[in-house]
Amino acid sequence: MAVFIRLPTLLGVWGALVLLLNLVQADAVDDLAAKALTNVYAILDGTQSDGATHTTCTRDKLIIRREWGNFTTAERTDYIKAVLCIQSKPTKYSTSVMPGARNRYDDFVGVHINQTMSIHNTANFLSWHRYFTWQYEQALRNECGYTGAQPYWGWNKYSNPMTSPIFDGSDTSMGGNGEKVQHAGSAVGGGGVVVPAGQGGGCVRTGPFKDMQVNLGPVSPSTSVSIPRNPQQNGYGYNPRCLRRDVSDYFTTQYLRTQDVANLITSSSSIADFQGKMQTDTRQAFGVHSAGHFTIWGDPGGDFYTSPGDPAFWLHHGMIDRTWWIWQNQQPSSRVVTIAGGTSMFGGAQGKLTDIVDLGVVGQRYQIRDLVSTTAGPFCYVYA
Ligand SMILES: *[C@@H]1O[C@H](CO)[C@@H](O)[C@H](O)[C@H]1NC(C)=O
Ligand SMILES: *[C@@H]1O[C@H](CO)[C@@H](O)[C@H](O)[C@H]1NC(C)=O
Ligand SMILES: [Cu+2]
């Protein structure tokens, strides 16, 4: 008899403990994400609208993207295996178009280099990178048998990225920092701020990507460490070299804290405001997009054009996309189907929802309006 009384009591205590642990761990950004998720469920249930047309995506089909630290060891190993696999598959570029592309991973880098000037500080910045990251996730799944979701890097979870499960250099990390080399730091972003050298700067020698060969670029390196020049000015030539990083806590402790991410979400009233703050890199401040890239740094991570060549790029852009998703779904009816800005970094025409995003050898062609909701168009995923 006693057993029948104690078992539920035990389960109750256990449940309360688990709840407590989650409450302790969840931060202000996670709380905003939880609200976003509630709204997305309501949209899929048809009791709310975000203005997009939801046809094939239903609640039971959703892929749930989670933070790297919340992946189990087995899940991290599966993801890493898929990335190494995509780096071993043949390129779909013809040699005459992209002579430096040696594998399928390079295809993503090549497409990003090619379009850099028309996908940053533009109206399509967020939707383009959402679709790009999703196509990468699709490639891992469809071309390399990965069954999981794209992970993200919760910047605010780790004030010291070097000891985080993302960059700690273990077999289940995205690789360690680069070897420490003396260098003068780097002038980063539009403000020309000179950021002191971090703890690395040299080749990554630990973790699953220690033998990775970077092939394309550089086009616009931001490190004072000297990088072999690409045989072609556009960075499309073959330039085999090691993966370099200079990870430090310079940006995470100033611009990527919980309050920085939460403030970005709660204080941006329009899409122009939100995406503008996110991409800021002036003497006064760095937005989360710039700060995350410069936390990885090195080569090709610190190169505006070639940055997807660092496998950590996708975890960073996962979090960029999550932050947009959270912002959108605080008020889905007015924030999902909305864009602002031009079509080129140099100005150009005003961007429109009917503008085409074309990912060439790594994707298809979609109008921006099909890429703004993560549960419409080609997409069916949410963030936890
Ligand atoms: C892991 O998931 C829990 C519950 O969803 C969340 O509160 C926590 O912040 C997550 N941990 C990390 C490192 O993201
Ligand atoms: C670059 O982008 C343009 C426009 O999308 C496309 O026509 C061209 O084929 C692309 N070139 C490469 C090398 O990807
Ligand atoms: Cu980009």
Side-chain angles (χ1 to χ4, degrees):
M1 190 63 199
V3 166
F4 292 101
I5 296 165
R6 276 199 201 111
L7 193 62
T9 314
L10 208 69
L11 287 175
V13 170
W14 177 246
L17 252 174
V18 168
L19 197 71
L20 195 70
L21 284 175
N22 278 346
L23 284 176
V24 170
Q25 282 188 332
D27 56 45
V29 179
D30 297 331
D31 294 345
L32 293 163
K35 180 181 172 189
L37 188 58
T38 304
N39 284 338
V40 171
Y41 284 155
I43 291 160
L44 291 175
D45 290 343
T47 59
Q48 250 194 68
S49 171
D50 65 0
T53 312
H54 304 264
T55 49
T56 54
C57 183
T58 49
R59 273 177 78 151
D60 58 310
K61 291 199 195 119
L62 282 174
I63 284 189
I64 300 174
R65 292 190 180 170
R66 288 153 48 234
E67 211 275 334
W68 182 259
N70 264 356
F71 268 40
T72 63
T73 306
E75 288 171 330
R76 289 181 204 170
T77 306
D78 284 347
Y79 179 77
I80 290 161
K81 246 167 66 185
V83 176
L84 291 170
C85 161
I86 210 77
Q87 293 179 344
S88 74
K89 298 278 182 195
T91 174
K92 290 189 180 170
Y93 266 123
S94 73
T95 310
S96 58
V97 174
M98 189 70 63
R102 287 297 192 271
N103 61 58
R104 187 70 176 132
Y105 187 90
D106 290 339
D107 290 357
F108 287 87
V109 185
V111 166
H112 188 272
I113 296 177
N114 180 37
Q115 299 189 37
T116 290
M117 286 300 136
S118 54
I119 58 172
H120 300 103
N121 297 306
T122 48
N124 65 4
F125 165 68
L126 289 163
S127 51
W128 194 96
H129 287 82
R130 168 169 287 172
Y131 181 40
F132 189 53
T133 303
W134 182 83
Q135 281 291 1
Y136 181 70
E137 181 184 48
Q138 288 294 299
L140 297 180
R141 290 170 61 89
N142 301 335
E143 299 173 38
C144 281
Y146 178 57
T147 55
Q150 174 60 38
Y152 64 84
W153 161 24
W155 313 299
N156 57 311
K157 302 274 182 194
Y158 316 105
S159 63
N160 181 355
M162 290 168 285
T163 57
S164 75
I166 301 168
F167 295 113
D168 68 10
S170 65
D171 290 346
T172 53
S173 70
M174 293 306 292
N177 200 356
E179 282 187 313
K180 188 160 175 59
V181 298
Q182 290 299 327
H183 70 104
S186 312
V188 295
V193 179
V194 175
V195 176
Q199 294 302 305
C203 298
V204 171
R205 300 283 190 211
T206 55
F209 301 102
K210 63 179 165 42
D211 299 320
M212 179 181 165
Q213 182 176 299
V214 177
N215 295 322
L216 296 170
V219 180
S220 173
S222 69
T223 165
S224 58
V225 176
S226 106
I227 313 288
R229 288 175 68 100
N230 193 281
Q232 291 182 211
Q233 180 127 37
N234 60 11
Y236 294 178
Y238 185 48
N239 186 21
R241 61 197 191 278
C242 70
L243 173 68
R244 285 182 175 81
R245 282 186 184 146
D246 197 9
V247 181
S248 82
D249 64 0
Y250 182 88
F251 294 96
T252 50
T253 53
Q254 300 182 72
Y255 303 110
L256 295 171
R257 300 162 303 174
T258 297
Q259 66 261 42
D260 300 316
V261 185
N263 284 349
L264 168 66
I265 294 164
T266 56
S267 75
S268 305
S269 53
S270 67
I271 187 68
D273 190 19
F274 175 78
Q275 69 191 18
K277 283 180 189 155
M278 196 174 223
Q279 294 170 95
T280 298
D281 58 0
T282 62
R283 207 164 268 282
Q284 289 73 35
F286 286 88
V288 294
H289 175 249
S290 324
H293 277 298
F294 291 133
T295 294
I296 304 170
W297 222 344
D299 168 58
D303 182 323
F304 191 43
Y305 293 75
T306 322
S307 53
D310 187 314
F313 171 94
W314 308 96
L315 277 68
H316 172 48
H317 264 280
M319 183 64 177
I320 290 288
D321 189 56
R322 175 183 185 240
T323 307
W324 180 32
W325 176 85
I326 299 172
W327 180 84
Q328 289 183 304
N329 289 296
Q330 301 302 299
Q331 282 170 41
S333 62
S334 58
R335 289 186 179 180
V336 172
V337 188
T338 177
I339 59 165
T343 50
S344 153
M345 277 189 72
F346 309 112
Q350 198 66 20
K352 301 183 300 294
L353 282 162
T354 50
D355 287 348
I356 299 289
V357 170
D358 183 354
L359 289 191
V361 294
V362 300
Q364 292 160 37
R365 291 163 53 88
Y366 280 99
Q367 293 187 357
I368 291 176
R369 69 167 159 215
D370 295 323
L371 305 174
V372 289
S373 167
T374 69
T375 55
F379 307 133
C380 191
Y381 69 88
V382 290
Y383 287 94

